Amino acid sequence: MRDRAVGDVFTTAEGNAPGARGHMDCTEIVRGQAVARNTPIVIVRNDQARVTHEAAIGSVSRKELETLMARGLSEDDAVDIIIRGILA
């Protein structure tokens, strides 16, 4: 998210059967005056199910950004590469 964007992400993962497995990995990147909120819901209805959640909200590393820009990339291109790397 960038500039003055505001984002609300609502995610739900459920484990309803024996042996059910699930994991949510939510990552938001903010730039400028953007605001990101993440509201995870994990529901488990079976004692043999396992559901986990991980959330991270952060910014692009200034050092990584400067390294890519020193190699000739624009700031926007450098940010895109960093974000693609995080999502991969």
Side-chain angles (χ1 to χ4, degrees), residues 14-49:
E14 297 189 31
N16 298 320
R21 299 280 183 260
H23 176 76
M24 281 190 288
D25 190 356
C26 304
T27 304
E28 281 76 51
I29 302 292
V30 295
R31 295 188 66 211
Q33 297 177 21
V35 177
R37 288 184 288 265
N38 184 301
T39 306
I41 299 172
V42 176
I43 301 168
V44 177
R45 293 190 174 96
N46 187 289
D47 64 357
Q48 294 177 14

Side-chain angles (χ1 to χ4, degrees), residues 19-84:
R21 299 280 183 260
H23 176 76
M24 281 190 288
D25 190 356
C26 304
T27 304
E28 281 76 51
I29 302 292
V30 295
R31 295 188 66 211
Q33 297 177 21
V35 177
R37 288 184 288 265
N38 184 301
T39 306
I41 299 172
V42 176
I43 301 168
V44 177
R45 293 190 174 96
N46 187 289
D47 64 357
Q48 294 177 14
R50 178 174 165 79
V51 179
T52 59
H53 177 267
E54 180 178 346
I57 298 177
S59 61
V60 172
S61 164
R62 191 77 199 156
K63 182 179 178 183
E64 291 176 356
L65 186 61
E66 289 172 353
T67 298
L68 291 172
M69 290 172 62
R71 294 189 172 136
L73 294 175
S74 70
E75 183 174 350
D76 285 340
D77 289 341
V79 168
D80 287 344
I81 287 174
I82 293 168
I83 291 172
R84 276 191 241 127

